[in-house]
Amino acid sequence: IERHRAEDRIRSLAFYDTLTHLPNRRMLEDRMNLAMASSKRSGRHGAVMFLDLDNFKPLNDRYGHALGDLLLVEAARRLTDCVRETDTVARFGGDEFVVMLAELDIDRGLSVGQAAQVAEKIRAALAEPYHLALRQEGAPDLQVEHCCTASIGIALFVSHEFSHDDLLKWADAAMYRAKDEGRNLACFHTEVTATAA
């Protein structure tokens, strides 16, 4: 029993983020490969979303990492609530997350619409105020309400036409465009479509 527990712990450390318990980069890469193989068989599109929290650093700077960690855990929960069980939400690092939508439509235009709909759901969920409570030994509990929106970049894929590194790079670039255009937005990679959600 102890050996099985130790193996489970090692596997968890290898594939999951220790703070949010979301898949980490390594697990995300595996799931992207599976989604691309499935897309090749079905002809259905998938989408990769790169998210960065817009107003996270001021919270960390003012109250410290412990409160920042509480916000990241809550953001992870909200993200997971916005997608299907067949999709993947991963923590990429810091305040960056990646959402992979699998098995969208065969039609590219309809897939863009589906991805935009999910991105809007995510954007709205993450923009809701965060009510954070931190227990402090020898001091009153710290209660903070913080608003933190997200900038989202989206890249569509079908089959193995692009590598997962390219998809992440393009979704990341689209996310920076969303930041440049005012934050709290979702933008698609321009080679996929020029439409901003």
Side-chain angles (χ1 to χ4, degrees):
I1 291 172
E2 284 303 315
R3 195 183 89 209
H4 282 296
R5 283 184 184 156
E7 287 171 355
D8 287 347
R9 177 134 175 79
I10 289 166
R11 186 180 188 285
S12 179
L13 289 171
F15 293 107
Y16 293 90
D17 175 60
T18 53
L19 175 66
T20 62
H21 305 292
L22 293 176
N24 61 18
R25 288 186 196 204
R26 188 172 172 188
M27 175 70 89
L28 173 66
E29 186 175 310
D30 286 349
R31 294 214 179 147
M32 286 178 76
N33 285 333
L34 287 172
M36 287 174 173
S38 176
S39 172
K40 185 174 184 179
R41 287 191 303 273
S42 69
R44 292 178 174 271
H45 288 78
V48 175
M49 300 183 184
F50 203 103
L51 296 88
D52 183 77
L53 301 179
D54 295 323
N55 193 30
F56 177 73
K57 190 174 183 300
L59 177 76
N60 250 3
D61 291 348
R62 183 168 180 190
Y63 298 105
H65 291 288
L67 211 67
D69 286 352
L70 290 178
L71 188 142
L72 291 172
V73 169
E74 174 61 16
R77 187 195 63 76
R78 293 183 189 186
L79 281 167
T80 303
D81 287 348
C82 287
V83 299
R84 305 163 298 179
E85 282 187 27
T86 54
D87 300 322
T88 298
V89 178
R91 183 170 178 216
F92 206 68
D95 61 343
E96 295 177 331
F97 297 88
V98 172
V99 175
M100 186 196 64
L101 306 178
E103 296 294 306
L104 297 175
D105 205 273
I106 291 173
D107 180 81
R108 194 174 192 85
L110 290 176
S111 296
V112 167
Q114 290 170 334
Q117 197 171 21
V118 175
E120 177 53 27
K121 186 177 178 182
I122 288 170
R123 190 202 60 73
L126 293 180
E128 288 291 318
Y130 293 80
H131 301 280
L132 307 169
L134 183 66
R135 297 198 180 282
Q136 302 183 106
E137 266 189 57
D141 291 352
L142 184 60
Q143 305 275 341
V144 174
E145 180 179 303
H146 187 73
C147 290
C148 190
T149 59
S151 296
I152 305 170
I154 309 165
L156 256 63
F157 66 88
V158 66
S159 187
H160 290 278
E161 61 179 345
F162 308 117
S163 72
H164 48 73
D165 287 338
D166 283 340
L167 290 167
L168 288 167
K169 181 177 68 179
W170 294 335
D172 185 43
M175 180 271 292
Y176 275 104
R177 201 169 84 246
K179 281 195 179 292
D180 291 344
E181 291 180 11
R183 302 178 178 219
N184 195 22
L185 292 170
C187 290
F188 281 89
H189 173 57
T190 49
E191 281 186 30
V192 174
T193 175
T195 306

